[in-house]
Amino acid sequence: MRRILTGIQPSGHITLGNYLGAIRPLLSLQNEEDTELLVFIADLHAITVPQDRQNLKKNIKELAALFLACGLDLNKSHMFIQSEVPSHNQLGWVLECNSYIGELERMTQFKDKKQKQVEGVSAGLLTYPPLMAADILLYDTDLVPVGEDQKQHLEITRNLAERFNNKYGETFKVPEPFILKEGARIMSLVDPSRKMSKSDPNPKGFIALLDDINIAKKKIKSAITDSDGTIRYDLENKPGISNLLTIYSSLTNIPIKNLEIRYENTNYQNFKEDLANIVADFLTKIQSKYDYYINSGDLDLILNSGRDYAYHYASRKIQKVYRRIGLGRN
Ligand code: ATP
Ligand code: LTN
């Protein structure tokens, strides 16, 4: 059986970038035969930067309900909260001891996030990749759907798996990233040179899946574009409009080439107006399903059953790892 796994941090409100980069590719695989999905809320990763207790709690539940609202099929998947399965911390530590500071310091996400910390840079921000590797390697994962920004972390995960296997004997499956060409890097609406990010202090930069519909429409209509006026995909010279074309195409499945032809003789305002309506329809559908799940008592039962399933699998793996290394008495 093929196992697909991904995690998202409950570090803010889930964005269209998270959806197009990670959730949509994940869901595109769930109907394939002989495939199982493991989906988790990466709360241990979220605390690498400061989090408010109440917000964190709320974001964890919100993310769980959103996965379901986006269409996660519970007959094919298990959803759980990372901190409820202690094997993640256990393997994280082991892999940390097999990581080199130099390779961790080279990670782009570390370098970016380090710049933004006002209260000091936590050691966890640096040692985050071995914890992410643990998330993946505990479950003999085959494929990991992620956005482009996580490619480097997948590479280090593969390196750590191979390093461990060489040193202690075959223990981990070496996973592959699953990165879709379109939507893997959605950019900020206020600065198309930066990626759309849920922890952006300026909410105009991102569309959250739970944004008020009129506010979301306004964000699209006021997205930064250039002054050239033609609707053409050109990442280098027209990053703003290219980003909007990518969003349009990803949500409608209309190829970008066809959109360029459709909007050849119009202006940015018309194009943005249409895109705003497409985004509004998409959000409306998700939000009505979200309202159902967040208010249903099922959510806790679903998370309990996901935790038990993950715990069972992961605790066997960590015992094997400990034995291989020579830890404890067994
Ligand atoms: P934060 O701002 O807290 O770092 P984030 O919005 O970057 O959060 P993550 O939780 O780090 O989101 O990422 C969850 C998943 O969403 C990952 O697979 C990541 O690659 C993907 N992702 C995040 N931002 C984007 C984006 N702008 N475009 C496409 N995929 C994205
Ligand atoms: N590192 C990811 C979130 C994440 C993840 C994972 C993704 C944590 N563990 C395991 C895929 C598989 C992020 O910050 N975007």
Side-chain angles (χ1 to χ4, degrees):
M1 194 190 40
R2 195 165 64 146
R3 183 167 280 141
I4 323 277
L5 170 142
T6 202
I8 299 187
Q9 302 182 56
S11 46
H13 298 298
I14 301 309
T15 69
L16 201 53
N18 299 136
Y19 176 79
L20 294 175
I23 301 178
R24 198 172 77 125
L26 171 83
L27 299 180
S28 76
L29 296 167
Q30 77 178 347
N31 292 327
E32 293 193 6
E33 245 174 65
D34 215 20
T35 296
E36 177 185 79
L37 264 52
L38 287 186
V39 177
F40 69 94
I41 294 141
D43 55 348
L44 293 171
H45 286 278
I47 63 163
T48 51
V49 299
Q51 299 290 341
D52 170 79
R53 178 178 185 274
Q54 292 303 339
N55 275 343
L56 182 59
K57 282 233 150 307
K58 201 164 151 274
N59 289 339
I60 289 172
K61 281 256 171 125
E62 181 179 306
L63 178 49
L66 266 177
F67 268 123
L68 297 170
C70 290
L72 189 73
D73 179 351
L74 289 168
N75 293 315
K76 296 284 183 68
S77 54
H78 302 274
M79 177 169 67
F80 64 95
I81 300 173
Q82 184 189 26
S83 64
E84 295 185 358
V85 183
S87 321
H88 289 249
N89 307 57
Q90 294 173 306
L91 183 58
W93 175 252
V94 167
L95 295 177
E96 215 176 293
C97 294
N98 284 278
S99 304
Y100 300 110
I101 291 181
E103 65 187 345
L104 299 180
E105 280 171 341
R106 279 197 296 276
M107 294 292 116
T108 315
Q109 182 173 310
F110 171 66
K111 288 193 253 179
D112 284 353
K113 291 201 171 176
K114 189 175 141 187
Q115 304 291 334
K116 296 182 191 144
Q117 300 314 308
V118 279
E119 296 171 29
V121 180
S122 76
L125 203 57
L126 177 69
T127 60
Y128 166 117
L131 179 60
M132 173 160 166
D135 301 335
I136 299 169
L137 300 179
L138 273 175
Y139 300 98
D140 299 309
T141 304
D142 295 279
L143 269 189
V144 187
V146 279
E148 178 74 34
D149 61 311
Q150 294 301 314
K151 203 171 165 189
Q152 216 183 14
H153 290 162
L154 255 296
E155 270 156 29
I156 200 170
T157 299
R158 290 167 55 85
N159 291 342
L160 283 169
E162 279 162 2
R163 193 177 297 165
F164 192 97
N165 288 346
N166 288 336
K167 200 164 165 189
Y168 299 105
E170 206 57 29
T171 311
F172 297 124
K173 191 175 256 185
V174 182
E176 298 282 344
F178 180 71
I179 301 175
L180 288 184
K181 272 200 201 79
E182 204 167 80
R185 193 169 173 80
I186 300 296
M187 308 311 278
S188 155
L189 300 177
V190 292
D191 176 1
S193 69
R194 283 192 292 120
K195 94 172 176 93
M196 182 181 283
S197 166
K198 69 171 115 68
S199 58
D200 187 342
N202 180 0
K204 289 191 178 139
F206 59 80
I207 303 266
L209 298 186
L210 297 179
D211 263 348
D212 172 90
I213 303 294
N214 284 324
I215 291 179
K217 284 171 96 171
K218 272 202 198 116
K219 287 184 186 177
I220 294 284
K221 287 186 203 166
S222 55
I224 299 292
T225 39
D226 52 73
S227 55
D228 154 73
T230 54
I231 295 150
R232 199 161 39 80
Y233 188 85
D234 176 347
L235 260 192
E236 202 173 311
N237 301 307
K238 297 165 71 63
I241 205 75
S242 302
N243 189 38
L244 296 183
L245 276 165
T246 301
I247 295 175
Y248 195 135
S249 167
S250 306
L251 289 179
T252 57
N253 290 321
I254 303 172
I256 289 182
K257 281 267 154 284
N258 297 15
L259 291 175
E260 286 175 336
I261 296 167
R262 181 183 292 187
Y263 287 97
E264 205 171 353
N265 295 315
T266 60
N267 55 31
Y268 285 173
Q269 202 190 335
N270 277 332
F271 173 76
K272 285 179 173 175
E273 194 91 35
D274 286 357
L275 178 57
N277 289 329
I278 288 163
V279 168
D281 286 349
F282 170 73
L283 296 185
T284 306
K285 279 193 205 110
I286 293 207
Q287 290 179 10
S288 67
K289 290 193 198 140
Y290 172 83
D291 289 341
Y292 167 77
Y293 285 112
I294 198 73
N295 295 315
S296 99
D298 293 352
L299 200 55
D300 274 324
L301 301 178
I302 292 167
L303 289 168
N304 287 348
S305 122
R307 175 201 59 205
D308 294 347
Y309 185 85
Y311 182 86
H312 180 73
Y313 199 92
S315 54
R316 290 211 325 245
K317 191 72 167 182
I318 193 70
Q319 286 316 318
K320 183 169 176 184
V321 168
Y322 279 8
R323 269 200 310 276
R324 288 269 152 103
I325 302 176
L327 291 167
R329 279 179 291 169
N330 298 315

